[in-house]
Amino acid sequence: MNLFEFCYGIIHWLVDLVNHLWYWLGDVLPWWFGDFFDAVGDFAASQGHLSVMTIFLEVVIVVIIALINVLNFIWIFRKFMGRMFDFYGPYYVGYGIGGWLQNLADGIKLFVKEIIVPAKADKMGYLLAPIIYIGSSILILATIPFSENFGVSTNESGTYVPAGALFALAAFAIAPFSILLAGWASNNKYTLIGGMRSAAQMMSYEIPLLMTVASVFLLAGSFGFVDIVDAQHDIWFAIPLFIGFLIFLVCLAAEVEIIPFDLPEAEAELVEGWTTEYGGMRFGLFYFTTTIRSYAGGALATALFLGGWHGPALIPDEIWFLIKAYIVYTVFQWMTWSLPRVRVDQMLGIGWKRLLPLAVINLMIAVALKSMGWF
Amino acid sequence: MAQAKKKSSLGFVLQPMKRTGKTLANSLFLGKPNTVLYPYQKLDLPIGYRGKHIVDFKRCIGCSNCVQICPNDCMWMEKLEDPELGKIERPGVDYGRCLFCGFCVEICPTVAIHESVEFELAHRERSRLKYGPKELRDDSFAGKVKEERQKRLLPILDMSKCTSCEKCAGECPEMAIAMMPIENVGRKKPEINLNKCTSCKKCEAVCPESALKLEEVYESYFEMPEPKLLIKSCTGCSACSKACPADAIYMMEMPGTEKVLKDGKKGKPKKRAVFVLEKCVGCGKCFRTCKFEAIEWPGVRK
Amino acid sequence: MWINMGPQHPMTHGLWNLRVKVDGETIVDAQPEVGYLHRGIEKLCEGKTYPQIIPLADRLCYGSSLTWSHLYCMAVEDLMKVEVPERAEYIRVLTIEMQRIVSHLMWLAAYAGDLGLGVGFVYTMREREVFLDLFQSLTGARITYNFPRIGGVAHDLPQNFERDTLRAITFFEGRLKEYEDLFEGSKIFMMRNVGVGILKKEDAINLGVTGPSLRASGVTYDLRKDLPYSVYEEMDFRVATHKDCDCYARYRVRMDEMWESCQIMKQALKKMPEGKWRIVAPRNAPVGTGLARVEDPRGEGMIYIVGDGSDKPYRVKIRSPIFVTVSAAPKMLIGYKLADVVAIMGGLDMCIGETDR
């Protein structure tokens, strides 16, 4: 049984339950009123409504599980950073479980803080930017399946639609717009430079990223996560496309703005970059969203290059997928804290002069592999 | 000389990651992190740490030297009534202003004030940062801390018993005692050269009135200013003698100043202050107490 | 577009303002503004007795407080014509060199933090703690030591101090090599440093830059060698210089200086004589002047005192190295990128406490 069938069953049962009420009302009430409730019942029992509600429920389940993992990621981020810096990290909030509750405590603290809008800010853009940023990032979470049967990848009738990876990457590319919006609307020089840097960075790293992903699509012959992972049943794409894997990781580091490439929020020169003017829960949303994108990045790397949920059958597929994503994220953190930040011209130079030619070479390797008939 | 190493080709990412990985392994698997979980674990502080003050009431003589040396004026003398010691003056400290320089400890002539290792002095109310002498008191503490300053056994003169017999000056093997005449009083008093004294105790043995006694005195690294008496201005009111915390000022009768009364008898002679500078702790209380400007304090612009 | 980097900004390490005019990301003009932290220390000194100024001189620079109180004591000794016992001089040299290491470690931590290398910040601060613990056992405080006195030092070396110091030096020499792996081993660090913020030899001399920043421009000038004070004449060490004139040269000079400081500390411990560590200093200074110059971790520090015969100085003048060095900032900044500001100004080792006084 896959997630779609499970959710369909639940929705069907719920609709049947509620329809008893509608039809009873249709019997009891006078003629024009009764007809209305009969129509409501008919609509609820129709195939279209059932499918939409099913997919809605699927999305909610997948996103909630993903968000719980994002909380874990924040905890890993802090704990791992702490241990790498030779201190304890979160310890007493959630004593005994490694300080896991520190995230929630910080979230509550951010919630009760006052929301301040700068006097000369563009209010509409200022308020809209965090919404776009977190909204587009949660869209990515909904597309990534945890296993063959656990994910949102079907149409309304339950048949598989191979477009998940494409949709995820499209949603990934919305974020620079909101960052630019936040930087511009805050009416601050630091945020403006941060926003511009972010836009330049994301544009220049989007291209090599998409070209490496294109090589994966080429080898798998599909845009859907399930097909791509199935194509890696024998050998992970990270092995034939090793160059592509490295490029993908570097570009991902730039896309999720971690330290060698965290120029938009370069603390030393731009205070907090494009988030300088945001406080309270708005800043909390930005912070949380950055981790969401890190999680999405780890999951994308897992699904596209590291064989997804394939692994020895001792552990369920979903757990395999998460373990790989966690490992990718941890290695990212390790790299982050070991390196200084690059300069903006150097960053663009790496993007256009090094990564783009390498991505083309990688694409040619993929074409060669495909045309030789090995995949 | 540490020279720069050759850069390996893996230097882009892997070499720093190797370094951080070592620390990570050490703090995560092999050992413990380097930090201390502060409110629950605390570090051992060395004996010389400069924290909250502790005043030994029995040693303290209330000379207010600590109050004067304090760069921030954060100490003050408080008048107290103690069941054992009677009416006394002891210092208090305002920790809102204290900079923990330790000068008060250094200058104390009797080593009565110490700094302990207690440093958690913060409080929500500013007034609670002021610690009066009763809160600083700990009479049993003085023996437990490290005392760096050296003690010396030195003969201390009790001028009220001295008869100017000059026996001590003749007995001293080092010629450290000289009989110096006191101006206008017509007597001599033994003055001890502290650099020559070897603490042989012979002067103590020979003194018929037991006016010289050997006592332990702490060495001071601060130069003692020596008060000078202007005889003409002195009225013999004995205010300075009462104020002196070290009992170094004696009021002595001055011959030739007696008033001749009507019946031919002579009245009481006038008194003049006499300083025993070996006992002086340099606090300047006499200088400040004197209303007639009869005491001169070197180097102070008045 | 003018951008204010300061007075409250992560780059500044203290209260000062650097106004930079940028064209895109390139700097076309720069104006340093200091004076936000003016506490009037020179005036305050006139109302305090000579020993009371020692803790005040400590507060001139939080990074290397001991060098400043030592400098003040040297100036007063020059004024009062006090001879310092030899053991006290050796203890002073030992502590000053330890202070130099602590100060350079703090600089390295801030520099790593500026460049975004979080690990570098924490690791260098961790090794700084080792020396702070030594200071704590010696003087009783961690930052503002109040240790030198007019005519000596406050305390003798405590028990086991020599053993602990030698142990700490051995430990630290190993850690210096680790830093070289962590910093120079990463190519991104080299990319950020090599060829950035070039200050030519002539410019450095003309602008009055002193200390490691001058030595990184290829000038061999160190007061410890050129005008030996205390017992530096008897120490065998090399003046660290570099001819590249860029941020990497400044980094390299400071790393080499830490190494040399370790060697000086070893020699000072070896040659330390027995004897008194403090003499009784006079309370009042004669009418006259006293002058002392030392090689501070940041450059050449100087204090000039006028005495008027009382127990308080008539005038105290403090020459701060960073106040002069900061005037070279526009020369170094113009033409580089905005992100280079942190590398260039971080490489100068700013300390605003002494700059504004």
Side-chain angles (χ1 to χ4, degrees):
Chain A
M1 187 174 72
N2 64 19
L3 188 64
F4 184 83
E5 290 162 5
F6 173 74
C7 292
Y8 192 84
I10 288 177
I11 293 293
H12 207 283
W13 174 75
L14 267 177
V15 165
D16 277 355
L17 205 66
V18 180
N19 271 3
H20 284 304
L21 177 69
W22 299 142
Y23 288 134
W24 177 75
L25 283 172
D27 289 346
V28 170
L29 293 170
W31 60 273
W32 50 272
F33 233 65
D35 275 3
F36 173 73
F37 281 107
D38 281 343
V40 168
D42 288 344
F43 170 71
S46 71
Q47 186 61 40
H49 177 254
L50 285 177
S51 304
V52 167
M53 292 312 286
T54 306
I55 290 175
F56 183 70
L57 186 63
E58 269 186 316
V59 168
V60 167
I61 290 172
V62 169
V63 165
I64 283 176
I65 291 173
L67 287 182
I68 290 168
N69 280 306
V70 169
L71 278 182
N72 270 335
F73 269 50
I74 298 178
W75 174 76
I76 284 180
F77 164 72
R78 294 173 156 198
K79 200 77 183 168
F80 192 79
M81 183 187 89
R83 293 300 170 129
M84 183 161 284
F85 282 16
D86 224 349
F87 61 81
Y88 280 88
Y91 197 80
Y92 284 109
V93 186
Y95 187 83
I97 49 172
W100 194 87
L101 295 175
Q102 183 72 47
N103 306 326
L104 301 182
D106 283 357
I108 292 166
K109 181 216 167 203
L110 286 172
F111 251 118
V112 298
K113 288 189 115 180
E114 188 187 355
I115 294 170
I116 301 168
V117 183
K120 290 185 179 175
D122 182 349
K123 205 168 179 183
M124 187 71 188
Y126 182 85
L127 298 182
L128 209 57
I131 299 169
I132 297 174
Y133 194 44
I134 195 166
S136 67
S137 302
I138 285 179
L139 271 182
I140 312 168
L141 296 187
T143 61
I144 300 172
F146 294 101
S147 77
E148 203 169 344
N149 295 325
F150 198 89
V152 191
S153 54
T154 59
N155 66 1
E156 71 277 6
S157 55
T159 45
Y160 173 66
V161 180
L166 203 61
F167 187 80
L169 288 165
F172 218 80
I174 299 176
F177 169 67
S178 66
I179 292 175
L180 194 56
L181 189 63
W184 180 265
S186 299
N187 193 16
N188 181 320
K189 289 170 183 172
Y190 302 132
T191 58
L192 180 63
I193 293 179
M196 290 298 172
R197 278 186 182 182
S198 176
Q201 172 176 336
M202 299 233 171
M203 267 174 228
S204 57
Y205 278 74
E206 197 81 16
I207 296 164
L209 179 84
L210 287 177
M211 285 180 82
T212 48
V213 175
S215 65
V216 171
F217 291 161
L218 194 71
L219 289 191
S222 166
F223 291 133
F225 280 113
V226 177
D227 287 345
I228 292 170
V229 173
D230 280 345
Q232 300 178 61
H233 189 72
D234 299 325
I235 186 167
W236 293 359
F237 283 158
I239 296 163
L241 299 177
F242 184 69
I243 305 171
F245 181 55
L246 289 184
I247 297 168
F248 184 79
L249 285 186
V250 174
C251 294
L252 213 54
E255 288 282 314
V256 302
E257 291 177 4
I258 62 171
I259 256 185
F261 303 107
D262 78 332
L263 301 157
E265 44 195 273
E267 192 206 22
E269 64 251 30
L270 293 181
V271 190
E272 261 309 306
W274 51 277
T275 57
T276 304
E277 293 285 352
Y278 284 88
M281 200 54 209
R282 288 215 164 72
F283 175 77
L285 284 182
F286 278 136
Y287 187 87
F288 190 61
T289 312
T290 312
T291 318
I292 289 177
R293 288 167 71 81
S294 296
Y295 166 80
L300 278 177
T302 307
L304 297 178
F305 287 97
L306 295 178
W309 45 82
H310 287 318
L314 292 169
I315 307 173
D317 285 354
E318 292 82 1
I319 306 294
W320 264 121
F321 185 82
L322 285 176
I323 286 174
K324 286 176 185 173
Y326 276 62
I327 288 173
V328 170
Y329 181 74
T330 315
V331 172
F332 258 39
Q333 290 301 323
W334 188 359
M335 189 182 76
T336 295
W337 297 117
S338 309
L339 294 178
R341 182 183 296 127
V342 298
R343 213 164 56 202
V344 64
D345 53 333
Q346 292 163 349
M347 186 259 311
L348 293 177
I350 293 170
W352 291 104
K353 291 180 195 159
R354 303 281 163 80
L355 294 184
L356 193 58
L358 281 174
V360 172
I361 292 171
N362 176 59
L363 192 58
M364 284 158 66
I365 292 173
V367 170
L369 287 173
K370 189 77 179 174
S371 58
M372 302 279 262
W374 291 346
F375 278 93
Chain B
M1 173 103 317
Q3 288 299 331
K5 288 180 185 171
K6 283 178 187 171
K7 311 293 170 302
S8 71
S9 55
L10 293 173
F12 220 120
V13 176
L14 291 187
Q15 200 163 342
M17 274 174 83
K18 201 180 86 190
R19 276 289 158 224
T20 49
K22 268 187 187 175
T23 311
L24 177 72
N26 193 38
S27 75
L28 196 56
F29 306 114
L30 302 176
K32 273 188 165 186
N34 198 32
T35 49
V36 172
L37 298 163
Y38 163 62
Y40 305 95
Q41 297 174 4
K42 280 174 186 170
L43 288 173
D44 291 332
L45 293 169
I47 299 170
Y49 188 82
R50 303 205 296 259
K52 186 190 159 207
H53 297 79
I54 279 174
V55 180
D56 187 342
F57 269 33
K58 284 175 185 162
R59 283 193 182 193
C60 180
I61 54 173
C63 67
S64 82
N65 261 354
C66 45
V67 177
Q68 288 173 54
I69 194 76
C70 183
N72 276 11
D73 296 339
C74 68
M75 296 177 84
W76 72 93
M77 297 303 285
E78 202 168 301
K79 280 180 184 161
L80 294 171
E81 189 105 25
D82 192 76
E84 279 181 58
L85 304 165
K87 279 188 178 179
I88 46 171
E89 264 191 308
R90 295 292 180 261
V93 183
D94 179 0
Y95 286 106
R97 303 174 71 179
C98 181
L99 49 74
F100 299 99
C101 63
F103 273 140
C104 43
V105 180
E106 264 188 53
I107 203 169
C108 185
T110 54
V111 198
I113 186 164
H114 288 283
E115 284 187 317
S116 66
V117 295
E118 194 185 334
F119 62 94
E120 289 157 321
L121 299 165
H123 204 275
R124 285 176 189 278
E125 287 172 38
R126 209 171 173 79
S127 59
R128 294 288 297 276
L129 289 173
K130 282 193 173 184
Y131 279 66
K134 279 179 187 166
E135 286 148 306
L136 298 175
R137 178 175 187 172
D138 185 356
D139 290 358
S140 60
F141 193 86
K144 296 173 197 166
V145 297
K146 184 177 71 172
E147 282 181 355
E148 267 201 336
R149 280 157 64 185
Q150 292 168 353
K151 289 178 188 171
R152 271 180 85 185
L153 267 178
L154 288 178
I156 299 297
L157 180 69
D158 189 350
M159 195 62 202
S160 57
K161 290 181 184 169
C162 181
T163 54
S164 310
C165 65
E166 304 194 13
K167 276 183 186 169
C168 47
E171 190 69 20
C172 186
E174 304 288 326
M175 311 291 277
I177 302 180
M179 297 305 291
M180 302 293 285
I182 313 168
E183 203 183 344
N184 287 0
V185 179
R187 282 172 62 185
K188 287 183 173 179
K189 88 175 165 66
E191 218 156 78
I192 298 135
N193 188 340
L194 300 184
N195 295 329
K196 283 185 183 174
C197 180
T198 54
S199 316
C200 66
K201 297 190 182 178
K202 278 183 182 166
C203 48
E204 185 184 14
V206 83
C207 187
E209 305 289 330
S210 66
L212 273 173
K213 272 185 185 169
L214 270 88
E215 285 175 21
E216 282 190 336
V217 174
Y218 287 95
E219 273 193 353
S220 174
Y221 288 113
F222 290 88
E223 195 194 41
M224 292 294 169
E226 295 184 352
K228 274 183 191 168
L229 185 70
L230 303 174
I231 296 279
K232 284 176 188 169
S233 309
C234 183
T235 57
C237 66
S238 80
C240 52
S241 170
K242 281 172 194 162
C244 184
D247 297 329
I249 303 176
Y250 294 92
M251 299 311 292
M252 292 187 61
E253 293 173 353
M254 185 172 157
T257 55
E258 299 94 341
K259 269 185 184 173
V260 181
L261 300 175
K262 282 173 190 172
D263 51 355
K265 286 179 185 174
K266 283 183 177 177
K268 278 188 176 177
K270 282 183 182 174
K271 285 188 171 180
R272 289 292 179 267
V274 171
F275 296 110
V276 179
L277 289 176
E278 293 89 58
K279 281 183 169 183
C280 178
V281 294
C283 63
K285 275 198 170 179
C286 48
F287 166 69
R288 275 173 311 213
T289 318
C290 188
K291 292 171 186 170
F292 306 100
E293 300 191 1
I295 296 173
E296 216 177 39
W297 201 253
V300 172
R301 286 168 280 192
K302 201 163 186 179
Chain C
M1 182 169 68
W2 282 100
I3 294 179
N4 280 303
M5 290 206 155
Q8 285 158 2
H9 190 281
M11 183 274 289
T12 54
H13 306 306
L15 276 177
W16 69 291
N17 190 359
L18 179 71
R19 302 183 71 226
V20 290
K21 192 179 186 185
V22 292
D23 176 16
E25 288 258 356
T26 313
I27 295 161
V28 292
D29 199 0
Q31 289 175 0
E33 284 175 15
V34 292
Y36 290 90
L37 202 64
H38 178 65
R39 293 161 289 170
I41 281 186
E42 289 179 4
K43 185 69 189 169
L44 268 176
C45 291
E46 291 168 21
K48 297 200 181 298
T49 59
Y50 283 104
Q52 279 181 350
I53 300 175
I54 300 173
L56 199 59
D58 264 338
R59 270 127 186 103
L60 273 171
C61 177
Y62 47 85
S64 67
S65 53
L66 207 143
T67 34
W68 284 98
S69 44
H70 166 237
L71 172 58
Y72 167 74
C73 287
M74 273 175 67
V76 176
E77 281 152 15
D78 187 35
L79 172 66
M80 291 179 175
K81 307 283 183 291
V82 175
E83 283 290 321
V84 182
E86 206 181 355
R87 184 178 174 82
E89 293 280 24
Y90 275 92
I91 295 177
R92 280 182 180 184
V93 167
L94 175 70
T95 48
I96 295 165
E97 291 305 321
M98 213 196 291
Q99 178 70 71
R100 195 181 304 277
I101 292 177
V102 168
S103 172
H104 281 349
L105 277 179
M106 200 169 128
W107 162 79
L108 191 59
Y111 193 52
D114 279 349
L115 294 179
L117 182 58
V119 167
F121 180 84
V122 181
Y123 287 3
T124 42
M125 280 295 193
R126 184 183 66 191
E127 267 73 85
R128 184 170 170 263
E129 287 293 301
V130 175
F131 291 104
L132 289 191
D133 284 346
L134 282 176
F135 267 128
Q136 194 181 5
S137 68
L138 176 62
T139 70
R142 296 180 79 83
I143 302 289
T144 48
Y145 310 106
N146 192 20
F147 184 59
R149 292 287 186 275
I150 302 161
V153 290
H155 313 281
D156 196 9
L157 299 184
Q159 225 179 355
N160 296 335
F161 186 78
E162 191 174 339
R163 186 201 66 193
D164 291 349
T165 313
L166 287 173
R167 222 181 254 175
I169 291 170
T170 320
F171 166 78
F172 179 66
E173 282 173 353
R175 286 300 165 101
L176 265 180
K177 285 174 190 131
E178 270 195 28
Y179 295 154
E180 276 160 16
D181 270 6
L182 191 61
F183 289 89
E184 292 168 45
S186 107
K187 274 189 182 156
I188 299 180
F189 182 83
M190 300 300 278
M191 272 159 62
R192 288 297 302 275
N193 277 286
V194 175
V196 170
I198 285 177
L199 182 67
K200 287 197 185 104
K201 194 174 175 177
E202 296 76 34
D203 290 336
I205 292 171
N206 289 343
L207 288 164
V209 175
T210 47
S213 310
L214 178 67
R215 292 195 280 279
S217 295
V219 186
T220 315
Y221 176 72
D222 191 327
L223 282 181
R224 291 178 291 173
K225 276 277 187 210
D226 297 332
L227 187 70
Y229 51 93
S230 208
V231 285
Y232 275 114
E233 270 172 327
E234 291 158 38
M235 301 294 166
D236 175 32
F237 66 101
R238 210 189 63 119
V239 179
T241 53
H242 207 283
K243 57 182 188 306
D244 278 6
C245 313
D246 56 1
C247 280
Y248 175 68
R250 290 190 268 278
Y251 157 81
R252 197 60 245 170
V253 163
R254 287 202 170 86
M255 294 295 269
D256 289 347
E257 265 187 21
M258 281 198 260
W259 181 274
E260 291 299 334
S261 289
C262 287
Q263 312 310 318
I264 296 175
M265 277 163 70
K266 276 186 204 164
Q267 292 173 37
L269 280 172
K270 210 179 190 178
K271 293 180 180 171
M272 187 164 296
E274 291 296 320
K276 287 183 84 173
W277 64 89
R278 188 174 178 185
I279 58 163
V280 181
R283 187 185 168 90
N284 300 325
V287 180
T289 59
L291 173 76
R293 295 161 73 191
V294 295
E295 186 69 29
D296 187 70
R298 289 165 178 76
E300 182 190 331
M302 185 184 82
I303 288 189
Y304 179 70
I305 296 187
V306 182
D308 63 348
S310 69
D311 57 350
K312 290 169 185 166
Y314 179 74
R315 173 84 170 91
V316 177
K317 170 79 183 97
I318 300 162
R319 189 252 190 214
S320 150
I322 290 300
F323 183 70
V324 182
T325 308
V326 78
S327 64
K331 203 99 192 167
M332 300 158 85
L333 286 172
I334 290 172
Y336 296 98
K337 295 281 182 291
L338 187 63
D340 287 333
V341 173
V342 289
I344 295 166
M345 297 319 291
L348 288 184
D349 196 3
M350 300 291 293
C351 176
I352 296 306
E354 51 163 277
T355 309
D356 291 343
R357 267 121 49 208

